[in-house]
Amino acid sequence: MSAHVITVRYEIRPERMDEFIQLIKENSEKSLAEPGCLNYEASMAGNKVFLYEKYKSEDDFKYHTTTEHFANYGEKTKDLVISKEITMYEGLK
């Protein structure tokens, strides 16, 4: 099995950026504690945020999407986000 990588490009409402940063940091801590999560890192430039997630396998990522914190993060951030672009990659061996 090869690694599974997800990138997310967010545009955040500027007046809600501090709130978003706090939520993504909390979600990062919980995600990194999951089995198979190798990386969960966010970077920002202005009101743009780039998220890089890496899992040992697609099954590990699928598990991530079933967690309570995944659902809570989506619900809590939906009004903070102007746009979101998700791309999934399969690692090359």
Side-chain angles (χ1 to χ4, degrees):
M1 247 183 228
S2 61
H4 193 70
V5 173
I6 298 88
T7 62
V8 185
R9 295 178 187 272
Y10 295 97
E11 183 177 1
I12 306 303
R13 298 184 189 290
E15 70 278 9
R16 307 291 298 273
M17 192 60 155
D18 289 343
E19 188 178 350
F20 182 84
I21 290 170
Q22 182 60 39
L23 290 168
I24 202 167
K25 284 180 177 180
E26 290 171 9
N27 199 51
S28 175
E29 289 176 20
K30 291 176 181 174
S31 297
L32 286 167
E34 294 171 16
C37 182
L38 301 173
N39 195 347
Y40 193 102
E41 185 174 346
S43 302
M44 62 183 273
N47 73 322
K48 307 268 197 282
V49 175
F50 177 79
L51 175 62
Y52 177 86
E53 300 176 62
K54 184 175 182 181
Y55 297 85
K56 287 182 182 177
S57 69
E58 185 176 359
D59 287 342
D60 290 319
F61 173 70
K62 286 179 181 177
Y63 170 79
H64 169 67
T65 64
T66 68
T67 63
E68 183 177 346
H69 68 89
F70 179 88
N72 289 340
Y73 172 78
E75 183 63 30
K76 290 178 180 178
T77 60
K78 70 179 182 182
D79 293 333
L80 313 180
V81 175
I82 296 169
S83 65
K84 178 169 72 170
E85 177 187 325
I86 301 169
T87 307
M88 295 189 190
Y89 302 88
E90 184 178 332
L92 301 175
K93 283 193 165 195

